[in-house]
Amino acid sequence: MKMYVISDNLDTLLGMRLCGVEGEVVHEKEALERALERALKDKELAVLLVTEKLSLSVPEKITQIKLSHKTPLLVEIPTRSKPSKSTSAITQYVLEAIGVKLN
């Protein structure tokens, strides 16, 4: 089983690559939707990380994936530039789930 990150910035992607997690950077809604579809087709993918900023651009799609797919587990991670109110909870969840501390 593997992990994959879809990020809105290169810094997050590079940080995840240092941990052995592959991924891609997207900036447009259509590119995000294509990346999500490719990720969902990968049967070896266990955890899909998506930055919070990107997930806000397609909230219905994110909710649909979370509710209707057993795998991969979709986890929204904080956006580097603008932490949300739930950042501490998400950061703790990622730390516990994969052992990576996000700052």
Side-chain angles (χ1 to χ4, degrees):
M1 294 291 194
K2 61 183 181 178
M3 296 176 58
Y4 193 79
V5 63
I6 303 173
S7 175
D8 62 303
N9 65 78
L10 188 57
D11 293 340
T12 300
L13 178 60
L14 291 175
M16 296 307 288
R17 281 190 177 165
L18 288 172
C19 300
V21 178
E22 290 298 318
E24 63 186 286
V25 174
V26 298
H27 297 288
E28 299 173 357
K29 182 179 176 179
E30 295 79 19
L32 172 59
E33 290 173 347
R34 288 191 303 271
L36 288 169
E37 290 303 319
R38 279 192 308 274
L40 293 174
K41 290 178 183 176
D42 186 347
K43 299 300 179 193
E44 292 182 18
L45 188 61
V47 179
L48 176 59
L49 304 170
V50 178
T51 56
E52 204 169 47
K53 181 178 176 181
L54 287 175
S55 68
L56 292 173
S57 67
V58 290
E60 301 84 17
K61 181 75 172 174
I62 297 295
T63 301
Q64 184 263 332
I65 292 170
K66 287 180 175 181
L67 294 175
S68 65
H69 289 78
K70 287 185 177 183
T71 58
L73 171 65
L74 192 145
V75 179
E76 297 171 67
I77 59 175
T79 300
R80 154 185 74 102
S81 59
K82 184 179 175 188
S84 71
K85 296 175 187 175
S86 62
T87 295
S88 62
I90 294 171
T91 302
Q92 184 62 31
Y93 181 73
V94 171
L95 177 62
E96 291 172 6
I98 62 174
V100 175
K101 183 175 181 181
L102 303 171
N103 286 330

